[in-house]
Amino acid sequence: MEGKNDKDFIATLRDHGLQVTYQRLAIYQALYFTKDHPSAETIYQQVKKRFPMISLGTVYKTLEKFYEVELIQKVSPVTEVARYDAKMGSHHHLVCLDCQSIQDADGMVGEQRIAIPENHGFQVVRQQVVLQGYCPACKPGNS
Amino acid sequence: MEGKNDKDFIATLRDHGLQVTYQRLAIYQALYFTKDHPSAETIYQQVKKRFPMISLGTVYKTLEKFYEVELIQKVSPVTEVARYDAKMGSHHHLVCLDCQSIQDADGMVGEQRIAIPENHGFQVVRQQVVLQGYCPACKPGNS
DNA sequence: ATTCTTGCAAACGGTTTGCACATAC
DNA sequence: GTATGTGCAAACCGTTTGCAAGAAT
């Protein structure tokens, strides 16, 4: 499953419609080769070791771009600002990528805990399922 | 399922170990009686109609307190700053409430889409499952 | 040659913090 | 009476933005 070389990474970027720069290559590789889920700042520190002249702003712009073209995931946050909910039982949330509205997902709600088989001693307190997409009002096709 | 009066809300706050103030009551009720998932600012605007002297800072402190005692949920963000992941297939994340480390959940990963039966025309693009809790290093009991 | 990207620095905005006063218990 | 919460304003800090110079195609 390993053994990706620079050429592979370049191809990956191109496949996602991106121009290739050494900054993008370095940023993507830094993220690809770690199991942590680093922040922009952390990636910046990492990449700076190889390319001391890179700027933090570029890292932000690049990560956002990667996210747009679905090359990487953004684990959190899902909305720009914090959003709250008085309903406590675990239930799913539908978050509109466009207008950022949030609604509860009907059906299949309830207390159905996601089974979590032995995760190296991680003790789960809460769970949260977020489905991102487009609400009826923002669905592509609505001009 | 409805018909909660002030006395019930007061009891709810007390049950969660909170001192009762009219600000807390108003904030909790504002959140309780909406299906939206409002931001602190939105709640502030709402509550200000009844109590024009309330401050935004109080709303922030109060919501954070509510969240701490598990009276309300914070839908997003789950971490203080944005965190990224190069692994694209939908998989679950374990987020430590203490040190904010993130690891992938083993097992049950894969492409198992969460079934989403008819949600009023919401079109799902991505899904994300976040399990919050304590990583082995931060588990209560470790001094 | 043209378009897209980078680097830098300033601006932005949501959230947090400090402190004096007020309120809950 | 004491601990806790509130209001206000300033500070904080992660992120975004504007623009001139540089690189990719």
Short mmCIF file of all heavy atoms in Angstrom, two decimals, chain A residues 8-21 24-25 28 66 69 71:
data_model
loop_
_atom_site.label_atom_id
_atom_site.label_comp_id
_atom_site.label_asym_id
_atom_site.label_seq_id
_atom_site.Cartn_x
_atom_site.Cartn_y
_atom_site.Cartn_z
N ASP A 8 3.86 10.04 -8.43
CA ASP A 8 2.50 9.65 -8.06
C ASP A 8 1.75 10.83 -7.44
O ASP A 8 0.58 11.05 -7.73
CB ASP A 8 2.53 8.49 -7.06
CG ASP A 8 3.11 7.23 -7.68
OD1 ASP A 8 2.91 7.03 -8.90
OD2 ASP A 8 3.77 6.47 -6.96
N PHE A 9 2.45 11.54 -6.58
CA PHE A 9 1.79 12.67 -5.91
C PHE A 9 1.43 13.75 -6.91
O PHE A 9 0.35 14.34 -6.86
CB PHE A 9 2.70 13.24 -4.82
CG PHE A 9 2.76 12.37 -3.60
CD1 PHE A 9 3.92 11.69 -3.25
CD2 PHE A 9 1.63 12.21 -2.80
CE1 PHE A 9 3.96 10.89 -2.12
CE2 PHE A 9 1.67 11.41 -1.67
CZ PHE A 9 2.83 10.74 -1.33
N ILE A 10 2.34 13.98 -7.82
CA ILE A 10 2.06 14.98 -8.87
C ILE A 10 0.83 14.57 -9.67
O ILE A 10 -0.06 15.39 -9.93
CB ILE A 10 3.29 15.12 -9.81
CG1 ILE A 10 4.42 15.81 -9.04
CG2 ILE A 10 2.93 15.91 -11.06
CD1 ILE A 10 5.74 15.84 -9.78
N ALA A 11 0.77 13.30 -10.00
CA ALA A 11 -0.39 12.80 -10.75
C ALA A 11 -1.68 13.00 -9.96
O ALA A 11 -2.71 13.39 -10.50
CB ALA A 11 -0.21 11.32 -11.09
N THR A 12 -1.59 12.73 -8.68
CA THR A 12 -2.76 12.90 -7.82
C THR A 12 -3.25 14.34 -7.84
O THR A 12 -4.45 14.60 -7.99
CB THR A 12 -2.42 12.50 -6.37
OG1 THR A 12 -1.99 11.13 -6.36
CG2 THR A 12 -3.64 12.64 -5.47
N LEU A 13 -2.33 15.26 -7.71
CA LEU A 13 -2.72 16.67 -7.76
C LEU A 13 -3.37 17.00 -9.10
O LEU A 13 -4.44 17.60 -9.16
CB LEU A 13 -1.50 17.57 -7.52
CG LEU A 13 -0.86 17.49 -6.12
CD1 LEU A 13 0.37 18.40 -6.04
CD2 LEU A 13 -1.86 17.89 -5.03
N ARG A 14 -2.73 16.58 -10.17
CA ARG A 14 -3.27 16.87 -11.50
C ARG A 14 -4.66 16.26 -11.67
O ARG A 14 -5.57 16.89 -12.22
CB ARG A 14 -2.33 16.27 -12.58
CG ARG A 14 -1.02 17.01 -12.72
CD ARG A 14 -0.80 17.53 -14.15
NE ARG A 14 0.23 18.57 -14.15
CZ ARG A 14 1.56 18.32 -14.15
NH1 ARG A 14 2.00 17.06 -14.16
NH2 ARG A 14 2.42 19.32 -14.15
N ASP A 15 -4.81 15.04 -11.19
CA ASP A 15 -6.10 14.37 -11.30
C ASP A 15 -7.22 15.17 -10.64
O ASP A 15 -8.40 15.00 -10.96
CB ASP A 15 -6.06 12.98 -10.64
CG ASP A 15 -5.24 11.99 -11.47
OD1 ASP A 15 -4.89 12.33 -12.62
OD2 ASP A 15 -4.97 10.88 -10.97
N HIS A 16 -6.83 15.98 -9.68
CA HIS A 16 -7.84 16.77 -9.00
C HIS A 16 -7.94 18.18 -9.59
O HIS A 16 -8.52 19.07 -8.96
CB HIS A 16 -7.55 16.81 -7.50
CG HIS A 16 -7.83 15.51 -6.81
ND1 HIS A 16 -8.98 15.28 -6.08
CD2 HIS A 16 -7.15 14.35 -6.78
CE1 HIS A 16 -8.97 14.04 -5.62
NE2 HIS A 16 -7.88 13.46 -6.02
N GLY A 17 -7.32 18.34 -10.73
CA GLY A 17 -7.44 19.61 -11.43
C GLY A 17 -6.59 20.74 -10.87
O GLY A 17 -6.91 21.92 -11.04
N LEU A 18 -5.55 20.37 -10.18
CA LEU A 18 -4.72 21.38 -9.52
C LEU A 18 -3.40 21.61 -10.27
O LEU A 18 -2.79 20.67 -10.77
CB LEU A 18 -4.39 20.94 -8.09
CG LEU A 18 -5.55 20.75 -7.14
CD1 LEU A 18 -5.08 20.07 -5.86
CD2 LEU A 18 -6.21 22.08 -6.82
N GLN A 19 -3.00 22.84 -10.33
CA GLN A 19 -1.64 23.13 -10.79
C GLN A 19 -0.66 22.57 -9.76
O GLN A 19 -0.97 22.54 -8.57
CB GLN A 19 -1.42 24.63 -10.91
CG GLN A 19 -1.66 25.20 -12.28
CD GLN A 19 -1.20 26.64 -12.40
OE1 GLN A 19 -0.45 27.14 -11.59
NE2 GLN A 19 -1.65 27.29 -13.43
N VAL A 20 0.48 22.15 -10.23
CA VAL A 20 1.44 21.55 -9.32
C VAL A 20 2.55 22.54 -8.97
O VAL A 20 3.19 23.10 -9.86
CB VAL A 20 2.07 20.29 -9.95
CG1 VAL A 20 3.14 19.72 -9.02
CG2 VAL A 20 1.00 19.26 -10.24
N THR A 21 2.72 22.74 -7.68
CA THR A 21 3.85 23.54 -7.21
C THR A 21 4.55 22.74 -6.13
O THR A 21 3.95 21.83 -5.55
CB THR A 21 3.39 24.88 -6.61
OG1 THR A 21 2.65 24.62 -5.41
CG2 THR A 21 2.54 25.65 -7.59
N ARG A 24 2.64 22.82 -2.87
CA ARG A 24 1.48 21.93 -2.78
C ARG A 24 1.91 20.48 -2.59
O ARG A 24 1.32 19.74 -1.81
CB ARG A 24 0.63 22.05 -4.06
CG ARG A 24 -0.11 23.36 -4.09
CD ARG A 24 -0.99 23.49 -5.32
NE ARG A 24 -1.80 24.70 -5.20
CZ ARG A 24 -2.62 25.15 -6.13
NH1 ARG A 24 -2.74 24.49 -7.28
NH2 ARG A 24 -3.31 26.24 -5.95
N LEU A 25 2.96 20.15 -3.30
CA LEU A 25 3.49 18.80 -3.17
C LEU A 25 3.92 18.54 -1.72
O LEU A 25 3.55 17.54 -1.11
CB LEU A 25 4.70 18.66 -4.10
CG LEU A 25 5.02 17.29 -4.70
CD1 LEU A 25 3.78 16.66 -5.31
CD2 LEU A 25 6.12 17.43 -5.74
N TYR A 28 0.88 18.39 0.69
CA TYR A 28 0.11 17.16 0.58
C TYR A 28 0.88 15.97 1.14
O TYR A 28 0.32 15.14 1.85
CB TYR A 28 -0.28 16.90 -0.88
CG TYR A 28 -1.10 15.64 -1.03
CD1 TYR A 28 -2.30 15.50 -0.31
CD2 TYR A 28 -0.68 14.60 -1.84
CE1 TYR A 28 -3.05 14.35 -0.43
CE2 TYR A 28 -1.45 13.44 -1.96
CZ TYR A 28 -2.62 13.32 -1.25
OH TYR A 28 -3.37 12.18 -1.35
N PHE A 66 -7.34 22.10 -1.44
CA PHE A 66 -7.38 20.63 -1.39
C PHE A 66 -8.75 20.15 -0.93
O PHE A 66 -9.31 19.19 -1.45
CB PHE A 66 -6.31 20.10 -0.43
CG PHE A 66 -4.91 20.18 -0.95
CD1 PHE A 66 -3.84 19.80 -0.14
CD2 PHE A 66 -4.63 20.60 -2.24
CE1 PHE A 66 -2.53 19.86 -0.61
CE2 PHE A 66 -3.33 20.67 -2.72
CZ PHE A 66 -2.27 20.30 -1.89
N VAL A 69 -11.49 20.53 -3.68
CA VAL A 69 -11.47 19.54 -4.77
C VAL A 69 -11.54 18.12 -4.22
O VAL A 69 -11.30 17.15 -4.94
CB VAL A 69 -10.21 19.70 -5.65
CG1 VAL A 69 -10.18 21.09 -6.27
CG2 VAL A 69 -8.94 19.43 -4.87
N LEU A 71 -9.61 16.45 -2.15
CA LEU A 71 -8.37 15.70 -2.05
C LEU A 71 -8.10 15.33 -0.59
O LEU A 71 -7.47 14.32 -0.30
CB LEU A 71 -7.22 16.55 -2.60
CG LEU A 71 -5.81 15.98 -2.49
CD1 LEU A 71 -5.70 14.63 -3.20
CD2 LEU A 71 -4.80 16.96 -3.08
#
